[in-house]
Amino acid sequence: MRVLVGVKRVVDYAVKVRVKPDKTGVITEGVQHSINPFDEIALEEAVKLKEKKAATEVVAFSMGGPKCQEVLRTALAKGADKAIHIEVPDADASKLEPLHVARALKKIIENDKFDAVFLGKQAIDDDANQTGSLIAGILDWPQALYASKVEPDGKYLKVTREIDGGLDTIKVSLPAVLSADLRLNEPRYATLPNIMKAKKKPLEKKSAKDLGIDVTPQTKVLEVSEPPVRQAGGFVDDVSALITKLKEKGFIKA
Amino acid sequence: MAASLARVATVPSSRSIPHIIYSDGHRQIQKSLSQLIEKEINVNVDEWERQSIFPAHTVFRKLGRLGVFGANKPTKYGGLGLDFSYSCAISETMGSIHCGAIPMAVSVQSDMATPALSLFGSEYLKNEFLTPSISGELVSCIAVSEPGAGSDVAGIKTFAHRNNGGDWVLNGHKMWITNGGQADWACVLANTNNEGGIHRNKSLFCVRLDSPGVHRNTSSIRKFGMHSSDTAEIFFDDVIVPSANLIGEEGRGFFYQMMQFQDERLVTVAVSLEPLQRCLDLTMEYTRERKSFGKSISDNQVVQFRLAEMKIELESLRALLYRAVTERIQGSDVTLLASMAKLKCGRLSREITDTCLQYHGGYGFTWDCPITRMHRDLRLFSIGAGTDEMMLSIVSRHLLSK
Ligand SMILES: Cc1cc2nc3c(=O)[nH]c(=O)nc-3n(C[C@H](O)[C@H](O)[C@H](O)COP(=O)(O)OP(=O)(O)OC[C@H]3O[C@@H](n4cnc5c(N)ncnc54)[C@H](O)[C@@H]3O)c2cc1C
């Protein structure tokens, strides 16, 4: 089984994001970026399958500006065998949409045989949660989204998914698309020797143009704004004081 | 102004201009290490500080698996086989641990107890002690100081003589030994002859601390700072040290130790940069938000100028360190540069933590304020790894011998 894993470069989860003064987006200049945490989980699962000999090769994929190579290098250090970077100019990177990424993935799969695409369930920057379903739709492959457990089973993957009120276990035939949920596994750290070795692993670079993918935006961001600042609260002595206050403010009927 | 002062040189990733000593490889290593620090170490630091000890074996095994102990050690022994700039990068990132004790414990193992072993130790010694220390299986310490000899290293009294079988019999009393309570082995400096004079009568040994005759005392030293650090007194009472455990040549110990000191001093400087920057960052944030007389504390020019000045000094220290590291990689003797940088590090550690504490007002005097731990911990940098006065005497000796 050859697995293609999507890794998106996003603002690190620990960074307190700030909106640009012109409200066109958030500040990304000089800000720490990392692999989208859900993609890291997807990658870990693929690498684990390889360690269990259930997968033969793990290829990491990223679409975006030149700096995506950083996250691809990290993916290589964490166990991917090779990496593919679909480069778009920095100015266009923030306008990429899930559909563009799904189209790029389709091109790669057309050129080279893969048995599975692993992705994070969503990216923590736009929280779109669409790429997995889109690529499954475009390729007409079965999908197993929000995986919390994956068991290879010959030509199938048995996948447990967390759903409201319980667990849903499904079996999808390969090739298939899988998206990782938070509790699927705990990603490893890239060890320093592996970081150094990853420098020698192949990283292929193609431009969106080379692949002939249309990346014309379909949506337009009108405005990005900060969430309203929370007002400081006040303390009350007891329940009756609370009720009096609530009545005063008109939150409950007198 | 506070925003523009912050983080001039510490921004990782996203930089387009090449760094003067760090490549993308350094950056990636630093990033992976900071992730481990955030998730596995920083969450426990407060508890370990309260308990006045951290579990060295557990923490070292995790760090060893990541590969932090052997940046510039040969790959044959599990190291990364890289140059000293990687040791420097790792130490800088160690500074993001929320206390001084753990970065110090780590640098003892990576750059204080092991450089001579790695350069001059026999194949047998390296397999026995270096490899398992790099992997984090063993915890090590460096035992030089004694109750009667700290600055005056040549004045140590610990002595080892050969017995009839050719092994060494070690007697002495070492003091202030970091990691000493939990360590599996010590790199010990001892006198081994009476003829050579104080600079040619010493040798370095790898000594197993479970050997008969080794006694340790960790309870009597109550420290001002570095609370979770394991500081011990070690007594050697007719301890048999196999002849194979001598590092390099007999009589060369003082020179080996002087060499080891340079790495020790450089990593000490590297470890100090992050916490000092953190002090400035926290103070800029606090003084911007805290109001008095109808404006932010940081609206006062006197505060702005002090912060600006300390930032300039910190960046100068960083530049001096990077220069020393560059010359170290090129093979030059960096005693002078390392001593200058170490002195500046000690001085700034006192100035920055004290001034930042001051700008926090009453809150700055509380146990909960993060500045106070840095104030206590970083105070050691004017004493450990050679005192400020020793750095000044090395620098003046160089000046006057010209
Ligand atoms: C927390 C901690 C951890 C330590 N860890 C280790 C360790 O792991 N291994 C190890 O071997 N040691 C360790 N040390 C010991 C440390 O290196 C010594 O404390 C230090 O070198 C100073 O030696 P001393 O304490 O004997 O002070 P002294 O040498 O007695 O000096 C006292 C004062 O006199 C000054 N002074 C001395 N001589 C002169 C002179 N000629 N001219 C002017 N001033 C002078 C000194 O600068 C200092 O200010 C540690 C110490 C501490 C506190």
Side-chain angles (χ1 to χ4, degrees):
Chain A
M1 177 166 67
R2 294 183 75 224
V3 187
L4 183 61
V5 185
V7 292
K8 184 178 185 182
R9 178 176 182 269
V10 297
V11 170
D12 190 89
Y13 78 96
V15 170
K16 197 167 165 254
V17 289
R18 281 209 304 250
V19 172
K20 283 189 200 161
D22 66 3
K23 298 195 169 182
T24 56
V26 299
I27 296 173
T28 53
E29 202 58 33
V31 167
Q32 171 100 329
H33 282 69
S34 299
I35 299 185
N36 173 41
F38 292 109
D39 296 348
E40 226 171 8
I41 297 171
L43 173 68
E44 176 69 26
E45 199 60 22
V47 172
K48 275 195 172 141
L49 289 180
K50 193 183 164 202
E51 285 167 350
K52 282 192 259 174
K53 309 260 186 267
T56 49
E57 193 180 29
V58 177
V59 179
F61 155 93
S62 193
M63 185 172 190
K67 290 198 182 104
C68 284
Q69 292 200 13
E70 286 170 16
V71 297
L72 287 173
R73 287 281 168 219
T74 307
L76 291 169
K78 290 185 178 222
D81 300 291
K82 11 187 245 202
I84 303 173
H85 179 202
I86 307 299
E87 189 171 344
V88 297
D90 258 335
D92 299 342
S94 63
K95 297 192 198 100
L96 282 180
E97 294 167 13
L99 183 62
H100 304 139
V101 180
R103 282 178 184 152
L105 282 165
K106 175 169 183 270
K107 283 281 178 195
I108 291 169
I109 290 165
E110 278 171 3
N111 294 338
D112 198 359
K113 189 184 166 304
F114 283 96
D115 306 285
V117 176
F118 283 16
L119 303 163
K121 69 167 178 180
Q122 67 198 67
I124 60 166
D125 51 0
D126 56 16
D127 280 324
N129 192 337
Q130 293 172 12
T131 311
S133 338
L134 283 169
I135 179 67
I138 292 177
L139 292 169
D140 199 19
W141 286 8
Q143 63 179 21
L145 305 182
Y146 320 123
S148 62
K149 193 172 172 195
V150 177
E151 295 156 281
D153 181 2
K155 286 191 190 138
Y156 301 90
L157 285 180
K158 201 171 124 194
V159 177
T160 307
R161 316 163 59 232
E162 286 182 20
I163 53 170
D164 282 347
L167 296 174
D168 177 31
T169 307
I170 58 172
K171 210 164 139 180
V172 287
S173 62
L174 295 169
V177 176
L178 179 137
S179 84
D181 210 335
L182 187 64
R183 278 171 287 275
L184 177 57
N185 59 47
E186 218 171 286
R188 70 195 65 194
Y189 302 103
T191 69
L192 311 196
N194 286 343
I195 289 173
M196 300 319 292
K197 281 183 210 142
K199 288 185 164 186
K200 297 193 190 82
K201 290 185 179 176
L203 195 159
E204 196 185 328
K205 202 168 85 176
K206 289 181 177 155
S207 73
K209 256 216 224 106
D210 293 344
L211 285 182
I213 315 161
D214 179 12
V215 292
T216 319
Q218 308 176 99
T219 51
K220 197 172 154 202
V221 174
L222 301 180
E223 187 186 297
V224 174
S225 51
E226 303 261 1
V229 180
R230 251 183 76 182
Q231 299 292 316
F235 285 94
V236 288
D237 290 332
D238 50 28
V239 176
S240 59
L242 173 67
I243 290 173
T244 316
K245 263 269 180 315
L246 288 173
K247 280 182 186 162
E248 246 172 53
K249 301 250 174 204
F251 293 131
I252 53 173
K253 286 208 185 80
Chain B
M1 78 116 217
S4 54
L5 256 185
R7 306 249 147 225
V8 170
T10 43
V11 177
S13 116
S14 311
R15 56 162 58 243
S16 35
I17 320 153
H19 187 273
I20 52 173
I21 63 168
Y22 296 155
S23 65
D24 285 349
H26 295 83
R27 293 300 183 190
Q28 270 191 300
I29 284 178
Q30 289 186 310
K31 189 164 175 183
S32 194
L33 175 56
S34 4
Q35 285 169 347
L36 184 142
I37 289 173
E38 277 315 310
K39 290 197 189 130
E40 318 257 340
I41 299 181
N42 275 345
V43 290
N44 296 310
V45 162
D46 286 347
E47 183 55 30
W48 293 336
E49 282 279 297
R50 253 194 308 277
Q51 294 174 354
S52 289
I53 192 86
F54 79 95
H57 284 90
T58 315
V59 174
F60 277 24
R61 235 173 262 131
K62 282 183 185 167
L63 288 168
R65 230 175 281 139
L66 201 76
V68 307
F69 290 117
N72 66 339
K73 305 288 193 302
T75 50
K76 196 173 166 195
Y77 309 102
L80 299 178
L82 300 167
D83 65 46
F84 193 75
S85 65
Y86 285 86
S87 315
C88 182
I90 289 171
S91 300
E92 265 198 66
T93 304
M94 284 298 166
S96 66
I97 295 179
H98 289 165
C99 67
I102 299 173
M104 175 166 74
V106 171
S107 22
V108 162
Q109 179 123 329
S110 55
D111 298 286
M112 303 183 191
T114 49
L117 170 62
S118 178
L119 284 174
F120 308 108
S122 66
E123 204 53 29
Y124 161 81
L125 265 194
K126 285 190 269 197
N127 288 327
E128 228 25 44
F129 293 98
L130 186 59
T131 304
S133 300
I134 290 175
S135 72
E137 284 309 306
L138 295 187
V139 173
S140 62
C141 61
I142 172 80
V144 173
S145 305
E146 298 183 359
S151 301
D152 182 14
V153 174
I156 58 163
K157 292 282 177 286
T158 297
F159 199 92
H161 67 268
R162 279 192 195 270
N163 65 13
N164 292 336
D167 289 334
W168 298 92
V169 182
L170 180 67
N171 280 289
H173 178 183
K174 295 291 180 182
M175 187 68 194
W176 310 116
I177 308 309
T178 301
N179 297 348
Q182 298 178 82
D184 302 288
W185 68 278
C187 174
V188 178
L189 184 71
N191 296 312
T192 45
N193 69 62
N194 292 319
E195 294 88 49
I198 51 169
H199 298 141
R200 291 201 164 71
N201 68 345
K202 295 179 173 55
S203 303
L204 279 179
F205 295 96
C206 293
V207 180
R208 284 200 181 280
L209 294 177
D210 57 2
S211 309
V214 175
H215 307 285
R216 316 187 220 189
N217 174 14
T218 51
S219 54
S220 62
I221 306 173
R222 290 179 60 229
K223 300 186 295 294
F224 173 71
M226 297 282 190
H227 287 163
S228 57
S229 182
D230 165 19
T231 314
E233 241 179 312
I234 307 183
F235 302 87
F236 300 105
D237 193 1
D238 282 335
V239 176
I240 305 290
V241 181
S243 66
N245 287 24
L246 173 72
I247 298 174
E249 289 172 43
E250 192 275 328
R252 300 276 299 159
F254 187 80
F255 294 101
Y256 297 159
Q257 187 51 40
M258 289 301 128
M259 234 176 127
Q260 255 178 185
F261 271 147
Q262 307 319 318
D263 284 0
E264 169 166 344
R265 285 166 193 161
L266 292 176
V267 296
T268 301
V269 178
V271 156
S272 76
L273 299 176
E274 264 290 323
L276 290 175
Q277 179 63 50
R278 202 155 65 237
C279 271
L280 293 179
D281 287 344
L282 286 167
T283 307
M284 284 183 277
E285 199 180 307
Y286 186 81
T287 54
R288 200 177 322 144
E289 266 154 37
R290 175 91 185 157
K291 306 270 188 297
S292 75
F293 301 100
K295 57 183 182 178
S296 290
I297 307 267
S298 66
D299 287 338
N300 297 290
Q301 198 181 52
V302 63
V303 177
Q304 294 172 6
F305 278 18
R306 282 297 291 136
L307 288 169
E309 191 137 356
M310 291 189 296
K311 176 66 179 169
I312 294 164
E313 297 242 2
L314 181 56
E315 291 311 314
S316 316
L317 174 62
R318 188 190 300 280
L320 184 55
L321 171 69
Y322 292 164
R323 178 173 159 209
V325 168
T326 308
E327 296 202 9
R328 156 96 175 60
I329 294 167
Q330 289 162 353
S332 315
D333 175 1
V334 292
T335 308
L336 182 60
L337 289 175
S339 310
M340 289 175 167
K342 170 64 175 53
L343 175 85
K344 201 70 200 160
C345 158
R347 293 279 199 250
L348 266 189
S349 292
R350 293 155 75 171
E351 187 189 346
I352 292 181
T353 56
D354 188 64
T355 311
C356 290
L357 189 152
Q358 180 69 15
Y359 287 153
H360 278 72
Y363 172 52
F365 198 63
T366 65
W367 213 248
D368 292 332
C369 176
I371 306 284
T372 50
R373 184 184 293 158
M374 294 192 259
H375 180 71
R376 286 181 276 116
D377 290 359
L378 270 53
R379 183 63 181 82
L380 180 65
F381 292 169
S382 279
I383 297 168
T387 63
D388 284 1
E389 291 73 21
M390 288 306 107
M391 298 306 108
L392 285 167
S393 51
I394 294 169
V395 173
S396 27
R397 218 163 34 237
H398 269 81
L399 288 179
L400 296 171
S401 70
K402 283 270 155 67

